[in-house]
Amino acid sequence: MMRFLLLFSRQGKLRLQKWFTPMSEREKKKIIRDMTTMVLARQPRSCNFLHWKDLKVIYKRYASLYFCLAIENQENELIALEVIHRYVELLDKYFGNVCELDIIFNFEKAYFILDEFLIGGEIQETSKQMVNRSIEASDMLQEVRCAGTHSHTQHETWLASVV
Amino acid sequence: MPAPIRLRELIRTIRTARTQAEEREMIQKECAAIRSSFREEDNTYRCRNVAKLLYMHMLGYPAHFGQLECLKLIASQKFTDKRIGYLGAMLLLDERQDVHLLMTNCIKNDLNHSTQYVQGLALCTLGCMGSSEMCRDLAGEVEKLLKTSNSYLRKKAALCAVHVIRKVPELMEMFLPATKNLLSEKNHGVLHTSVVLLTEMCERSPDMLAHFRKLVPQLVRILKNLIMSGYSPEHDVSGISDPFLQVRILRLLRILGKSDDDSSEAMNDILAQVATNTETSKNVGNAILYETVLTIMDIKSESGLRVLAINILGRFLLNNDKNIRYVALTSLLKTVQTDHNAVQRHRSTIVDCLKDLDVSIKRRAMELSFALVNGNNIRGMMKELLYFLDSCDPEFKADCASGVFLAAEKYAPSKRWHIDTIMRVLTTAGSYVRDDSVPNLIQLITNSVEMHAYTVQRLYKALLDDISQQPLVQVASWCIGEYGDLLVSGQCEEEEPIQVTEDEVLDVLEGLLVSNLSAAVTRGYSLTAIMKLSTRFSGVNRIKKVVSIYGSSIDVELQQRAVEYNALFKKYDHMRPALLERMPIMEKSASNGPTEIVQTNGETEPSVVDSKHPPPVSQPANQANDLLDLLGGNDVVPVIQTTVPTKPASAGGELLDLLGDLSLTIPPMTAYNKNGLKIDFTFERANPNPNVAVITIHASNSTEADMTDFVFQAAVPKTFQLQLLSPSSNVVPALNQGTVTQVIRVLNPQKQQLRMRIKLTYTLKGSPVQDLAEVNNFPPQSWQ
């Protein structure tokens, strides 16, 4: 299974953290520190795999964001790279040419998309279209629910203003 | 109260902060606003506030006061609230929190909600971070949903079940019925998660594993369809249909086929098909091949398939993609033991990877190279590995040096080659070799008798170049001390002998003593080497001077050595030659550790081979020296006196065995009886080693005065080994009022006739008495 997924910028600022095993805040902070240090120190053309404690860490840089996925030792590193890539594709489809700012300002949506792709450190859906459809439907559900309590003309602004 | 600012507004504001302090101030202000909003139980904006809190939490600020608010959001009817609420729960409410369990009821309700997206939220949250108690409570609900026809929910329920099993393995049984027709699903999401669930169950329970073996044909069919089917836009990745599912199926097949002939046979064809048909131009194809190789190697595949797998790995090694090369090296490392010959075929490619720029690849290549070294390729491999040692990063040098030593020891084609290799390592990575290499190397050099001149010459030349690498310097000074005579006499056969004068050699050694680069241990080596040369060189005065200077050194170890060597010059000059003579060949113990019993000439050089143990104090060495002289120099081995026999088990461990059997079948004897001093010997056999005789001396005094400062010493011929334990006392009371006892252990492996020379010193009525005697009347049973 996957143990955690971290997204951070080139300056080491955290943009998303998904943990698949329970850990104290202190441990999480330490892991984040370790990961950012290790990954940011890597040479540009090194291989994408690292060893850290008893885990394999797969990292890949997309524009200004580093995606860092830790998997257990018996997992397949090459397919883990594909997992990262699939997530990036999903974000890209949703936001349309996704960039770091999208993830900063809409972090909750990044989480929602991730939760339609992975559960408990495993892949739940292998079809891009299915994941996208689920997200769109859930978004619509937010709107519909809102439209029930406010006047119809206001529902679009409500969606934007609710969060 | 104005509406709380929107999330995106907050994010924008915080990002304008120019310093950490400014950011903290903004955060604190907003937290205060959020807190008061929570206190007011504001339903409308709770969602917005929690979302803001989650953002601030990501920046690293505490957010625990929002935990209960997350619970309230989850309980709300609004979907937006639930979405943020569950997100907050996953981030803030893991099982370590007290309020975690309060979620259980909400999740239970939502698992039965009419809207599948709400059910999905609940399943996702439970499957990501449900505690054991929560899992126990809700397992039934999950099991129900596992049987639903709604594929959206079924796939989530499957992964939720996986989580439940991981948390509470005993609940695995209850999910068994629901797995019945999981694999007949068409939906890939459900298929994938089902395979994950089956994998988890098989890994955890051998019974489940046996039960699910019957699924192998079905799995093979699904995999076949994936490969053979045409383009499917929904699951296509670079021309390959659903690689994630393929990899997962391959992994399940691996588990099912392991140690099972029938299953392995059933999957042989499909594995060969995947191995040959998968497109390798992109990473995704290689990911599938990689998984296939792992499966082939783990199950009971036929040899043709195994060779195919290794060849795939061989091809990976030539791939431009670093990741692929890395993965290939890792896999080959796993298989090198079982399929050694097949991996050997790719040796040259592996060795090329030593020159790779990537650190991870270099390390793997190094480990694999060492695993591939054997008697046939040792010369070639060593050349490459030494070249690697020269140029690699410091983090590799220690491991590489150790590896080279091990390989050289096992497969060295000749002694000269071995010594050359060691020299090379010492000169290129001398500061990185491990501590225990020094004694091992010295032993190796000592035992290569015909190479002494060559070795010392090479080491001397190396020292002239560089004295900073301590292990090299230590080995070199030891050798120069030992074989300095060969060095100056220019006797080298293997290469052109160099012209070195005694003074030049002493210059070098003295240089080590004063250099800042030398460690304290190194200085000790150097001083002792200088001392040894006093019997090998003609000019002694210079050495005498050095030794006397260091008699007042601040370094206690050096001072002690110098003082003793000085004493050697002054009082015991007649025994200096014997003391400092050439070392005999050392016995190698079975282990790598420095625990050999070394036959020394009484010098404190045991620290060389036994650096981890406190060296025996040189005091007994001095006493032993007397005996050596008395006993004619070369054919006797003196005693190594220990005060406490606490050395761990070693080659001579029998000698330390305190549990000697009391077989009193050997009669006691009187060894000495003169001037009122009588010494009796009593015998025991030490078990388990019948070669060891344990002799206890009993000294009694029939004169009117006590004998004080009583010291008993013994020496035996060379074929024996002797150990003297500490005496019960140094005073032999007068008029036979008591005895002094002392235990001697004699190792007699060749079962030769035991004979002994003893020396007694004591003070009687103020005047010192000294006497020597030979003991030849040992009863035959004591040595037969």
Side-chain angles (χ1 to χ4, degrees):
Chain A
M1 66 180 268
M2 298 168 230
R3 290 286 188 89
F4 57 81
L5 172 67
L6 301 173
L7 268 66
F8 47 86
S9 70
R10 276 195 292 190
Q11 289 75 37
K13 295 212 107 179
L14 192 67
R15 300 300 180 206
L16 189 139
Q17 52 175 330
K18 187 75 185 176
W19 305 91
F20 296 113
T21 46
M23 262 182 270
S24 70
E25 281 297 324
R26 215 155 139 228
E27 284 171 297
K28 288 184 195 170
K29 285 210 163 85
K30 176 154 196 310
I31 291 176
I32 293 168
R33 246 194 338 261
D34 285 350
M35 290 296 121
T36 46
T37 321
M38 270 192 346
V39 170
L40 292 173
R42 292 283 277 186
Q43 303 285 4
R45 270 181 294 276
S46 339
C47 83
N48 297 82
F49 311 135
L50 287 168
H51 273 278
W52 181 80
K53 298 205 181 158
D54 61 333
L55 300 174
K56 297 199 253 209
V57 173
I58 290 60
Y59 74 94
K60 190 132 189 238
R61 193 179 126 226
Y62 287 86
S64 57
L65 265 184
Y66 281 93
F67 287 70
C68 181
L69 179 63
I71 59 178
E72 288 176 346
N73 250 328
Q74 73 272 23
E75 301 285 334
N76 182 328
E77 299 98 310
L78 298 180
I79 211 76
L81 269 176
E82 293 299 320
V83 169
I84 294 177
H85 191 72
R86 173 56 64 90
Y87 183 46
V88 172
E89 284 179 322
L90 292 169
L91 291 169
D92 195 54
K93 185 76 198 297
Y94 183 82
F95 288 108
N97 273 329
V98 67
C99 63
E100 190 183 346
L101 276 177
D102 289 321
I103 301 187
I104 293 171
F105 280 94
N106 301 284
F107 70 93
E108 85 277 12
K109 304 232 174 68
Y111 275 109
F112 296 153
I113 295 172
L114 188 61
D115 287 338
E116 287 297 327
F117 178 40
L118 307 172
I119 287 184
E122 304 283 356
I123 301 171
Q124 70 176 278
E125 181 55 67
T126 56
S127 156
K128 270 188 279 193
Q129 291 87 332
M130 290 298 296
V131 176
N132 284 327
R133 271 181 240 151
S134 311
I135 291 288
E136 279 165 25
S138 304
D139 284 350
M140 290 291 280
L141 206 55
Q142 274 190 221
E143 259 184 71
V144 166
R145 294 277 182 201
C146 306
T149 52
H150 295 262
S151 80
H152 195 74
T153 51
Q154 281 181 322
H155 87 261
E156 278 127 359
T157 51
W158 209 98
L159 178 63
S161 71
V162 85
V163 280
Chain B
M1 167 103 199
I5 69 169
R6 286 185 243 137
L7 171 65
R8 324 246 180 258
E9 194 62 48
L10 177 69
I11 297 176
R12 208 168 297 133
T13 316
I14 291 178
R15 281 169 64 78
T16 61
R18 271 162 296 158
T19 64
Q20 188 74 6
E22 217 181 309
E23 182 186 276
R24 218 175 308 136
E25 215 182 293
M26 292 178 188
I27 302 264
Q28 273 172 355
K29 200 161 136 234
E30 186 57 37
C31 276
I34 291 177
R35 273 189 153 106
S36 46
S37 187
F38 285 161
R39 267 198 298 271
E40 286 167 22
E41 298 279 342
D42 184 329
N43 286 339
T44 324
Y45 295 112
R46 180 176 288 124
C47 180
R48 181 186 292 187
N49 285 328
V50 169
K52 287 187 285 186
L53 200 56
L54 294 178
Y55 177 74
M56 297 189 286
H57 175 250
M58 181 138 67
L59 293 179
Y61 296 91
H64 45 270
F65 59 90
Q67 285 173 356
L68 278 173
E69 303 300 314
C70 292
L71 285 175
K72 292 182 199 163
L73 282 175
I74 292 173
S76 154
Q77 287 311 305
K78 291 193 233 161
F79 183 66
T80 315
D81 282 356
K82 282 190 191 283
R83 245 183 158 185
I84 298 289
Y86 276 117
L87 177 60
M90 284 196 269
L91 288 172
L92 303 177
L93 274 176
D94 70 17
E95 61 184 44
R96 291 151 164 264
Q97 310 304 324
D98 303 326
V99 294
H100 175 86
L101 273 177
L102 295 177
M103 277 198 290
T104 314
N105 222 27
C106 282
I107 294 183
K108 186 167 189 177
N109 290 335
D110 283 342
L111 284 175
N112 293 306
H113 203 276
S114 49
T115 312
Q116 67 173 13
Y117 298 107
V118 173
Q119 290 173 290
L121 285 176
L123 280 168
C124 178
T125 308
L126 181 59
C128 275
M129 42 85 81
S131 65
S132 319
E133 294 89 5
M134 204 186 284
C135 287
R136 256 185 247 273
D137 286 341
L138 301 174
E141 305 294 327
V142 175
E143 198 258 344
K144 245 189 342 193
L145 287 170
L146 194 50
K147 298 192 278 211
T148 175
S149 53
N150 181 334
S151 50
Y152 178 77
L153 293 176
R154 211 169 178 203
K155 70 189 185 198
K156 290 183 195 269
L159 289 185
C160 209
V162 170
H163 180 81
V164 168
I165 292 173
R166 282 178 182 155
K167 282 296 199 190
V168 192
E170 306 90 71
L171 292 175
M172 194 175 359
E173 297 286 327
M174 73 182 283
F175 294 108
L176 189 52
T179 62
K180 225 186 244 181
N181 51 1
L182 275 178
L183 289 185
S184 21
E185 265 276 0
K186 288 282 182 278
N187 180 294
H188 280 224
V190 178
L191 266 179
H192 187 277
T193 56
S194 305
V195 173
V196 174
L197 177 58
L198 292 168
T199 309
E200 189 69 30
M201 291 169 112
C202 290
E203 277 176 341
R204 281 179 187 272
S205 156
D207 293 331
M208 292 285 184
L209 179 58
H211 172 81
F212 285 125
R213 278 223 173 90
K214 60 178 193 258
L215 294 176
V216 169
Q218 209 174 356
L219 287 165
V220 167
R221 231 177 305 128
I222 297 172
L223 190 52
K224 194 159 189 172
N225 284 335
L226 285 173
I227 305 169
M228 306 300 272
S229 68
Y231 175 75
S232 144
E234 270 223 58
H235 302 109
D236 181 87
V237 179
S238 305
I240 297 184
S241 194
D242 207 339
F244 301 110
L245 181 57
Q246 288 195 36
V247 164
R248 244 16 249 246
I249 292 178
L250 285 164
R251 195 156 137 203
L252 181 55
L253 285 175
R254 178 154 83 243
I255 295 170
L256 293 174
K258 200 170 185 162
S259 0
D260 189 80
D261 290 321
D262 293 328
S263 307
S264 301
E265 205 184 313
M267 47 179 96
N268 246 321
D269 284 343
I270 191 67
L271 289 174
Q273 211 175 352
V274 175
T276 40
N277 286 352
T278 308
E279 184 63 45
T280 59
S281 53
K282 292 271 176 68
N283 178 62
V284 65
N286 289 319
I288 295 176
L289 278 180
Y290 176 40
E291 196 72 37
T292 313
V293 165
L294 291 177
T295 301
I296 292 175
M297 300 316 290
D298 247 12
I299 66 171
K300 300 193 148 215
S301 44
E302 46 180 52
S303 60
L305 203 53
R306 290 183 92 85
V307 171
L308 178 61
I310 304 250
N311 287 344
I312 291 177
L313 292 179
R315 256 184 292 135
F316 274 5
L317 282 179
L318 300 167
N319 196 304
N320 282 330
D321 189 335
K322 280 199 198 341
N323 298 327
I324 311 273
R325 291 208 297 277
Y326 178 85
V327 146
L329 287 169
T330 317
S331 315
L332 284 170
L333 201 53
K334 278 191 241 167
T335 62
V336 72
Q337 304 301 335
T338 44
D339 294 88
H340 191 90
N341 292 331
V343 180
Q344 278 282 2
R345 255 177 258 139
H346 300 279
R347 196 179 64 243
S348 50
T349 325
I350 292 168
V351 165
D352 278 338
C353 288
L354 286 172
K355 304 189 186 94
D356 202 296
L357 294 164
D358 186 287
V359 159
S360 320
I361 290 182
K362 273 203 273 225
R363 178 163 285 280
R364 287 281 176 272
M366 182 182 82
E367 288 168 7
L368 197 47
S369 301
F370 279 122
L372 288 175
V373 171
N374 63 26
N376 294 329
N377 57 35
I378 178 75
R379 281 189 194 269
M381 287 296 274
M382 199 50 83
K383 209 154 77 176
E384 296 285 347
L385 288 166
L386 287 174
Y387 181 73
F388 175 68
L389 185 62
D390 276 339
S391 52
C392 68
D393 300 323
E395 58 185 292
F396 290 116
K397 290 214 192 224
D399 291 329
C400 190
S402 303
V404 167
F405 285 149
L406 271 167
E409 209 176 296
K410 272 201 259 183
Y411 302 113
S414 75
K415 282 223 156 94
R416 161 136 184 207
W417 180 94
H418 197 169
I419 292 192
D420 280 342
T421 307
I422 290 171
M423 287 291 312
R424 178 86 183 269
V425 174
L426 286 179
T427 46
T428 55
S431 6
Y432 299 97
V433 302
R434 294 202 222 283
D435 291 338
D436 61 358
S437 328
V438 172
N440 287 340
L441 292 175
I442 288 178
Q443 183 197 55
L444 178 69
I445 292 170
T446 313
N447 292 350
S448 321
V449 176
E450 64 279 12
M451 305 296 306
H452 285 170
Y454 171 71
T455 313
V456 70
Q457 183 162 295
R458 287 212 56 190
L459 284 168
Y460 179 77
K461 283 200 271 191
L463 266 193
L464 290 177
D465 277 333
D466 174 19
I467 60 168
S468 64
Q469 306 194 83
Q470 299 305 294
L472 170 63
V473 175
Q474 287 166 11
V475 175
S477 19
W478 191 92
C479 284
I480 294 174
E482 199 56 18
Y483 311 120
D485 48 330
L486 299 175
L487 185 58
V488 296
S489 66
Q491 276 180 22
C492 184
E493 285 170 359
E494 300 277 343
E495 63 173 22
E496 187 68 33
I498 56 176
Q499 307 297 336
V500 186
T501 65
E502 292 181 4
D503 274 325
E504 283 169 342
V505 175
L506 288 173
D507 282 341
V508 168
L509 288 175
E510 283 186 47
L512 295 176
L513 274 175
V514 301
S515 165
N516 286 338
L517 298 166
S518 298
V521 174
T522 312
R523 281 186 237 263
Y525 273 87
S526 169
L527 187 61
T528 304
I530 292 176
M531 186 60 193
K532 282 189 192 171
L533 290 174
S534 69
T535 54
R536 292 156 174 76
F537 282 1
S538 46
V540 183
N541 292 327
R542 182 173 172 180
I543 296 177
K544 274 194 193 165
K545 222 191 316 173
V546 172
V547 162
S548 69
I549 290 173
Y550 278 87
S552 39
S553 159
I554 295 180
D555 183 325
V556 174
E557 175 67 29
L558 279 184
Q559 190 191 106
Q560 178 170 359
R561 291 184 186 213
V563 162
E564 287 162 12
Y565 297 154
N566 229 356
L568 213 51
F569 275 123
K570 297 227 162 63
K571 286 205 290 183
Y572 301 104
D573 203 45
H574 48 287
M575 37 182 95
R576 197 167 35 88
L579 204 57
L580 301 175
E581 68 165 12
R582 276 266 203 283
M583 291 285 194
I585 306 235
M586 302 181 198
E587 288 298 317
K588 185 147 176 70
S589 69
S591 68
N592 274 335
T595 53
E596 307 125 10
I597 287 279
V598 174
Q599 300 182 12
T600 70
N601 299 353
E603 252 197 301
T604 53
E605 283 308 340
S607 62
V608 167
V609 288
D610 210 1
S611 52
K612 300 244 173 17
H613 301 264
V617 177
S618 50
Q619 271 249 330
N622 276 334
Q623 296 168 351
N625 299 342
D626 302 357
L627 285 169
L628 273 177
D629 182 51
L630 304 170
L631 301 169
N634 288 359
D635 67 337
V636 186
V637 173
V639 165
I640 300 175
Q641 186 154 346
T642 55
T643 47
V644 181
T646 51
K647 285 212 168 112
S650 62
E654 313 85 339
L655 294 181
L656 307 176
D657 179 15
L658 293 169
L659 304 171
D661 216 359
L662 290 174
S663 45
L664 295 168
T665 53
I666 309 170
M669 57 174 265
T670 304
Y672 176 91
N673 196 350
K674 222 160 115 179
N675 299 335
L677 177 62
K678 179 154 155 289
I679 308 225
D680 290 329
F681 283 180
T682 55
F683 300 91
E684 292 162 7
R685 278 240 174 268
N687 261 350
N689 191 338
N691 292 334
V692 176
V694 180
I695 306 172
T696 310
I697 69 151
H698 307 263
S700 53
N701 169 11
S702 59
T703 69
E704 308 152 347
D706 291 346
M707 295 172 177
T708 55
D709 301 317
F710 176 80
V711 176
F712 173 90
Q713 288 166 271
V716 287
K718 205 166 184 185
T719 50
F720 299 85
Q721 269 186 0
L722 189 145
Q723 187 181 24
L724 209 53
L725 305 186
S726 38
S728 59
S729 149
N730 279 347
V731 177
V732 192
L735 299 171
N736 294 325
Q737 282 166 21
T739 56
V740 167
T741 55
Q742 193 166 7
V743 175
I744 312 172
R745 292 169 184 273
V746 183
L747 175 66
N748 182 6
Q750 294 179 23
K751 298 263 192 227
Q752 290 196 344
Q753 183 183 8
L754 181 57
R755 36 187 197 97
M756 196 185 277
R757 274 196 188 138
I758 60 176
K759 176 176 173 185
L760 308 153
T761 49
Y762 56 93
T763 306
L764 184 62
K765 296 180 193 163
S767 30
V769 180
Q770 194 176 291
D771 198 8
L772 296 162
E774 257 201 280
V775 184
N776 286 329
N777 54 333
F778 283 94
Q781 302 98 309
S782 65
W783 45 268
Q784 269 170 355

